[in-house]
């Protein structure tokens, strides 16, 4: 274990990640201080009674007198109090950096690091299942599930981490066996005032010191600027791993490996996720046969292009995890609809450029419903085919009276959910519930 004895350590931000940091230091008999700008942060009731904490703002004297600050991913490094501490020479890192330092001290451990604007949770979960099915002990966490530091409580052979750009900003020692950026599109532009390339720069930190980089051949922004690592590519019709002309097979080195009709996952974007996972598995030297069997049986994840109801010929698809424009683009590329497509957009757009969706709304049988905070901004994309409501429930009530056989209702909001919901999960659950409620006895 890396020693931090004698260090004055301040953890900024509680929640499950902050608590994992507290427990990490307590295991070394180090008592850190905790700061949270919220008055009632999640996890406060679980805090060890030896911990001195401050709530409501960033206690500047604690920060300036610290030897090491562990900052929550949700707090920008540009925060003035953190900048003052940095100028004084205080080291500021995140929980992923603590994790990497520990794993680097164990030479026989492997890390798979996954990021991207879209698909990263699906690929992280899928590659975890592939490794597990191969009989290798694997810990999956980071930006999903368990905090990375909690994974150190068991002796895994491989760690699979989903990493956000926020986490990568404060990570310096990552040495992934395989690292991938699945795709890049505008997201969190409210966090990156200098624009898209500032976001790209944060994402590219995942490649630093990686043995293999898995890139998206269709997205130039995923290609590393330095060529020190071995590069493997996937894409729709080009790359080491790709699809055939009709999306009927996963192809590796020009050899068809798996018919997409044999997969539980559907849609081009999910086929690309499968290709990325297969590329990662190959670089981990996992049996190809084992990988393909797991990919074929993988059902996908809730709230990711999930068919939650099919009734009287109408499909209701929950893609609530589409919290940015790129994810909604992927959904609109993949949806198959013989009738009319009813698209639900809405929420907090995080200063994104919604105009990228305009080409996907043209020349197709579609009606758009906009709700939530940015509903008026979204409605400008296609005003002649758009209905505006305050809530998603109001939109769905209208849609339920209009749909007929062969229609598809797609919730793919292109926005965060926190303006009206606790999370995208709650939004997706409400969509599924309302789909069932509004169609009961309606004759549709």
């Amino acid at each position: 274990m890396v020693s931090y004895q004698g260090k004055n350590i301040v953890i900024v931000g509680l929640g499950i990640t902050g608590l994992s940091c507290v427990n990490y230091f307590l295991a070394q008999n180090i008592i850190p201080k905790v700061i949270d700008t919220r008055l009632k942060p999640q996890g406060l009731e679980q805090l060890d009674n030896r911990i001195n904490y401050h709530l409501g703002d960033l206690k500047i004297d604690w920060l300036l007198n610290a030897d090491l600050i562990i900052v929550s991913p949700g707090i920008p490094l540009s925060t003035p109090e953190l900048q003052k501490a940095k100028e004084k020479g205080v080291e500021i890192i995140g929980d992923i950096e603590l994790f990497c330092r520990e794993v680097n001290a164990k030479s026989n451990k492997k890390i798979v690091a996954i990021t991207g604007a879209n698909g990263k949770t699906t690929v992280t979960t899928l590659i975890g299942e592939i490794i597990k099915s191969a009989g290798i002990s694997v810990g999956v966490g980071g930006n999903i599930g368990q905090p990375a530091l909690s994974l150190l409580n068991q002796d895994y052979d491989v760690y699979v981490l989903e990493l956000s750009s926020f986490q990568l900003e404060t990570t310096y020692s990552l040495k992934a066996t395989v690292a991938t950026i699945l795709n890049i599109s505008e997201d969190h532009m409210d966090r990156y005032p200098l624009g898209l390339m500032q976001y790209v720069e944060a994402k590219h930190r995942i490649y630093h010191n990686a043995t293999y980089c898995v890139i998206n051949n269709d997205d130039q922004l995923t290609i590393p600027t330095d060529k020190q690592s071995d590069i493997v590519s996937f894409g729709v019709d080009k790359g080491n791993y790709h699809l055939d002309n009709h999306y009927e097979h996963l192809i590796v080195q020009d050899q068809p490996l798996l018919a997409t009709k044999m997969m539980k996952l559907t849609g081009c974007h999910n086929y690309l996720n499968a290709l990325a996972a297969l590329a990662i598995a190959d670089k981990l030297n996992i049996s190809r046969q084992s990988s393909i069997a797991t990919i074929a049986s993988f059902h996908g994840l809730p709230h990711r292009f999930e068919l939650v109801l099919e009734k009287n010929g109408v499909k209701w698809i929950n893609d609530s995890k589409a919290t940015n424009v790129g994810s909604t683009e992927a959904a609109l590329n993949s949806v198959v609809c013989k009738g009319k497509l009813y698209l639900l957009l809405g929420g907090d757009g995080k200063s994104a450029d919604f105009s990228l969706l305009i080409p996907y709304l043209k020349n197709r049988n579609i009606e758009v419903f906009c709700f939530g905070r940015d509903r008026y901004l979204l409605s400008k994309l296609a005003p002649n085919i758009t209905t505006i409501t305050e809530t998603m429930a109001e939109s769905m009530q209208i849609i339920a009276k209009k749909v007929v056989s062969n229609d598809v209702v797609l919730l793919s909001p292109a926005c965060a959910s926190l303006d009206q919901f606790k999370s995208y999960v709650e939004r997706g659950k409400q969509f599924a519930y309302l789909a069932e409620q509004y169609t009961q006895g309606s004759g549709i």
Side-chain angles (χ1 to χ4, degrees):
M1 181 174 282
V2 178
S3 177
Y4 296 93
Q5 296 295 330
K7 300 281 189 182
N8 180 13
I9 294 169
V10 177
I11 296 168
V12 180
L14 253 180
I16 59 171
T17 298
L19 283 173
S20 73
C21 296
V22 170
N23 293 333
Y24 171 80
F25 288 112
L26 288 179
Q28 301 185 49
N29 294 315
I30 297 170
I31 312 297
K33 296 183 180 71
V34 171
I35 296 173
D36 200 297
T37 57
R38 298 166 294 182
L39 293 175
K40 294 183 179 180
Q42 179 190 6
L44 183 63
E45 68 285 352
Q46 300 174 49
L47 202 58
D48 190 287
N49 57 18
R50 292 172 291 172
I51 303 295
N52 193 7
Y53 62 86
H54 177 84
L55 305 177
D57 57 28
L58 295 175
K59 191 170 174 58
I60 189 64
D61 58 321
W62 281 14
L63 297 177
L64 295 179
N65 291 315
D67 297 311
L68 178 65
I69 296 172
I70 315 298
V71 64
S72 164
I75 301 175
L77 290 175
S78 59
T79 302
E81 293 88 344
L82 293 177
Q83 284 295 305
K84 289 179 181 178
K86 183 179 179 180
E87 289 167 5
K88 193 181 175 185
V90 180
E91 185 179 18
I92 303 174
I93 62 173
D95 70 304
I96 301 300
E97 175 64 16
L98 288 174
F99 172 87
C100 291
R101 292 177 182 182
E102 289 293 336
V103 175
N104 289 347
K106 305 173 183 179
S107 59
N108 61 333
K109 304 300 179 182
K110 295 179 179 180
I111 296 177
V112 175
I114 298 166
T115 194
N118 310 300
K120 56 185 179 290
T121 302
T122 296
V123 174
T124 300
T125 306
L126 176 53
I127 192 62
E129 290 297 315
I130 290 172
I131 296 169
K132 181 180 177 181
S133 296
I136 302 168
S137 63
V138 58
V140 179
N143 196 45
I144 61 166
Q146 292 191 65
L149 288 171
S150 299
L151 299 177
L152 297 174
N153 296 331
Q154 295 190 48
D155 190 29
Y156 294 112
D157 293 320
V158 182
Y159 298 97
V160 181
L161 301 182
E162 175 187 315
L163 299 176
S164 70
S165 60
F166 298 172
Q167 291 170 312
L168 288 165
E169 288 174 18
T170 53
T171 301
Y172 307 91
S173 302
L174 176 62
K175 297 178 180 178
T177 304
V178 190
T180 184
I181 302 176
L182 298 172
N183 46 64
I184 290 181
S185 61
E186 277 197 359
D187 199 6
H188 305 294
M189 289 300 102
D190 48 353
R191 174 81 169 239
Y192 298 104
L194 298 182
L196 179 62
M197 294 315 295
Q198 186 182 15
Y199 175 59
V200 171
E201 183 179 348
K203 288 287 192 187
H204 273 248
R205 296 173 67 90
I206 203 168
Y207 289 143
H208 294 179
N209 302 306
T211 304
Y212 299 102
C213 297
V214 175
I215 68 165
N216 184 338
N217 195 74
D218 302 323
D219 190 338
Q220 292 297 304
L221 293 177
T222 69
I223 300 175
T225 53
D226 69 63
K227 305 294 184 181
Q228 296 178 2
S229 306
D230 286 341
I231 294 177
V232 182
S233 62
F234 69 93
V236 173
D237 53 15
K238 294 180 181 178
N240 307 113
Y241 298 72
H242 61 91
L243 301 170
D244 62 12
N245 291 337
H246 302 288
Y247 304 169
E248 292 177 346
H249 292 88
L250 305 186
I251 307 290
V252 179
Q253 304 293 5
D254 298 324
Q255 296 296 316
L257 288 187
L258 177 64
T260 54
K261 68 180 181 181
M262 303 300 294
M263 297 170 58
K264 305 297 184 185
L265 291 174
T266 61
C268 179
H269 65 300
N270 273 325
Y271 301 151
L272 291 175
N273 290 336
L275 288 170
L278 184 57
I280 294 168
D282 283 353
K283 290 307 175 186
L284 294 173
N285 295 317
I286 291 173
S287 157
R288 182 72 66 70
Q289 184 178 0
S290 175
S291 296
I292 291 173
T294 304
I295 289 170
S297 63
F298 185 68
H299 283 268
L301 302 173
H303 316 292
R304 281 94 168 164
F305 207 74
E306 175 191 17
L307 179 63
V308 293
L309 179 66
E310 186 169 1
K311 187 173 182 180
N312 297 319
V314 179
K315 294 181 178 179
W316 300 74
I317 299 175
N318 169 21
D319 194 35
S320 182
K321 184 64 170 62
T323 58
N324 57 57
V325 171
S327 190
T328 299
E329 288 182 273
L332 290 170
N333 263 327
S334 295
V335 67
V336 176
C337 180
K338 296 179 181 179
K340 176 174 279 192
L341 174 64
Y342 292 88
L343 173 65
L344 287 152
L345 300 174
D348 177 4
K350 300 172 288 184
S351 303
D353 179 7
F354 292 131
S355 67
L356 297 172
L357 293 175
I358 292 175
Y360 298 92
L361 307 180
K362 291 182 176 180
N363 303 318
R364 65 194 304 173
N365 189 8
I366 186 170
E367 192 168 337
V368 181
F369 285 75
C370 301
F371 63 91
R373 196 185 89 168
D374 283 342
R375 59 189 182 276
Y376 295 108
L377 192 60
L378 286 159
S379 70
K380 295 178 182 178
L381 298 176
N384 58 318
I385 55 169
T386 296
T387 299
I388 301 172
T389 64
E390 184 176 351
T391 68
M392 181 180 73
E394 290 169 341
S395 288
M396 291 183 68
Q397 191 170 28
I398 297 169
I399 292 170
K401 296 175 181 177
K402 302 179 78 168
V403 288
V404 296
S405 182
N406 291 323
D407 289 348
V408 174
V409 183
L410 171 63
L411 169 67
S412 190
C415 294
S417 59
L418 299 180
D419 62 324
Q420 295 185 335
F421 301 93
K422 291 180 180 179
S423 66
Y424 75 83
V425 173
E426 184 187 60
R427 179 171 63 188
K429 286 182 177 179
Q430 186 181 109
F431 173 82
Y433 171 78
L434 291 174
E436 185 69 45
Q437 290 299 306
Y438 287 150
T439 58
Q440 282 182 1
S442 63
I444 65 171

